[in-house]
Amino acid sequence: SYVIDQQALITPMLSQMQASNIGQTILDLSANTNRYYTTSGGTNASNWLKNRWSSLAGGRSDITVEQFTHASWPQKSVILTFKGTDNAAQVVVLGAHLDSIAGSGTGETTRAPGADDDASGVASLTEIIRTLTANNFKPRRTIKFMAYAAEEVGLRGSAEIARSFAAANTNVVGVMQLDMTNYKGAANDIYIFTDYTDASQNTFVTNLIKTYLPTLKIGTDRCGYACSDHASWNAQGYYATMPFEASFSSSNPRIHTANDTYANTGSNAEHSLKFARMALAYAVELGADGP
Ligand SMILES: N[C@H](Cc1ccc(I)cc1)C(=O)NO
Ligand SMILES: [Zn+2]
Ligand SMILES: [Zn+2]
């Protein structure tokens, strides 16, 4: 039931969220030569994020941070879990991908900052976690934040995780993917992608934006292929949504090159902040439902 009724909790949190925090995380992540799934940079970024999210979790016993080991490559995915209070069996997932790429020959010394693709998504999730923990937020449902390994090489990290959740019959009630949130290439602010996603959840997210971010303009588009990790969850029959920075034709032209930098998105994270706020509202509204 996509009821929107958490305004008292959400509205004050939205004003605490800051673009500068998102920008700093983008810089921290893109400081690695690259975050490719087989390089030391890719492993370093995973370990750095695990530590970063662990420090945000503080000493709370209902928050855990883990690294998901992938058998056939070194980069681990990072998962932070808010265990639900009285409806913990139902799970909400918010994801972004940790890895970066600059051409098929990416190796140890290849420069791939991946500031927009997808440090911007991981940084948006990080600002949500910071805000939720700062407000001692406790959801009724379990909420999992995921930074996937190996998205650029075939959505491989999210595919393994989504398959393992399906195999365990985990009741994931909804998934949101944030991949590329900081390049405002088109007229509208947030584009809801309609392929490999769920129509009724897309409507819910549209209503969240109208409720909590009423000045933002909403567009829709489609990729025409499985263009990010939401497709891994969709493939397992889970409801997914991917809000995206621009229309397909106007998306960031510098991705997958050494020029996908924070500076090339204006050295600010104002566009990402819209996505972080929308995704916080998604997490809190969906996380608020009882059994
Ligand atoms: N394929 C996607 C990039 C991508 C995704 C959606 C759109 I619209 C344009 C470009 C990718 O590289 N994800 O990491
Ligand atoms: Zn990419
Ligand atoms: Zn991406």
Side-chain angles (χ1 to χ4, degrees):
S1 69
Y2 291 130
V3 170
I4 297 177
D5 59 3
Q6 298 295 314
Q7 289 90 337
L9 195 54
I10 291 169
T11 302
M13 285 201 258
L14 297 184
S15 56
Q16 296 171 29
M17 302 175 79
Q18 297 171 45
S20 55
N21 292 334
I22 299 171
Q24 185 56 56
T25 304
I26 292 171
L27 286 170
D28 294 338
L29 286 167
S30 43
N32 291 285
T33 302
N34 61 66
R35 302 187 301 280
Y36 194 58
Y37 78 124
T38 59
T39 66
S40 58
T43 291
N44 289 345
S46 177
N47 294 335
W48 180 86
L49 190 70
K50 179 203 180 287
N51 293 333
R52 180 86 180 81
W53 283 7
S54 297
S55 67
L56 291 175
R60 278 181 51 175
S61 61
D62 61 333
I63 303 178
T64 53
V65 183
E66 64 183 300
Q67 286 176 295
F68 187 105
T69 299
H70 299 285
S72 50
W73 67 85
Q75 187 180 48
K76 296 179 169 68
S77 299
V78 182
I79 301 176
L80 179 143
T81 302
F82 286 81
K83 189 173 182 331
T85 53
D86 66 339
N87 189 16
Q90 297 185 3
V91 181
V92 180
V93 174
L94 292 90
H97 70 83
L98 185 56
D99 63 318
S100 73
I101 194 170
S104 55
T106 300
E108 270 305 309
T109 60
T110 308
R111 185 72 176 111
D116 191 35
D117 186 17
D118 184 29
S120 70
V122 176
S124 299
L125 295 185
T126 303
E127 180 62 0
I128 295 167
I129 294 163
R130 185 198 66 78
T131 307
L132 293 179
T133 52
N135 288 274
N136 200 27
F137 170 70
K138 294 185 187 334
R140 297 182 69 181
R141 285 172 161 156
T142 292
I143 303 177
K144 287 182 177 280
F145 293 86
M146 301 191 178
Y148 307 113
E151 185 275 347
E152 301 285 11
V153 287
L155 319 182
R156 293 176 64 186
S158 59
E160 284 194 3
I161 293 169
R163 281 194 205 111
S164 77
F165 275 54
N169 286 317
T170 302
N171 184 4
V172 177
V173 297
V175 183
M176 176 172 279
Q177 173 74 352
L178 297 181
D179 186 357
M180 299 165 58
T181 66
N182 205 31
Y183 179 84
K184 188 177 188 304
N188 296 318
D189 295 292
I190 299 179
Y191 287 77
I192 305 290
F193 272 62
T194 56
D195 51 350
Y196 302 89
T197 59
D198 177 73
S200 43
Q201 190 176 250
N202 289 346
T203 301
F204 170 57
V205 173
T206 300
N207 291 334
L208 286 174
I209 298 168
K210 290 179 175 167
T211 303
Y212 290 107
L213 302 163
T215 64
L216 297 190
K217 296 196 293 301
I218 306 168
T220 62
D221 205 345
R222 54 195 306 278
C223 285
Y225 67 103
C227 62
S228 195
D229 296 303
H230 59 293
S232 292
W233 294 96
N234 176 265
Q236 299 301 324
Y238 292 121
Y239 303 137
T241 295
M242 189 182 78
F244 191 74
E245 68 186 12
S247 58
F248 190 92
S249 56
S250 308
S251 64
N252 189 338
R254 297 184 176 88
I255 62 166
H256 302 184
T257 75
N259 302 315
D260 178 6
T261 60
Y262 187 53
N264 280 335
T265 53
S267 290
N268 72 79
E270 293 303 329
H271 202 47
S272 288
L273 180 60
K274 303 166 194 170
F275 290 79
R277 286 174 164 157
M278 169 208 48
L280 180 139
Y282 174 84
V284 175
E285 286 286 359
L286 215 44
D289 292 342

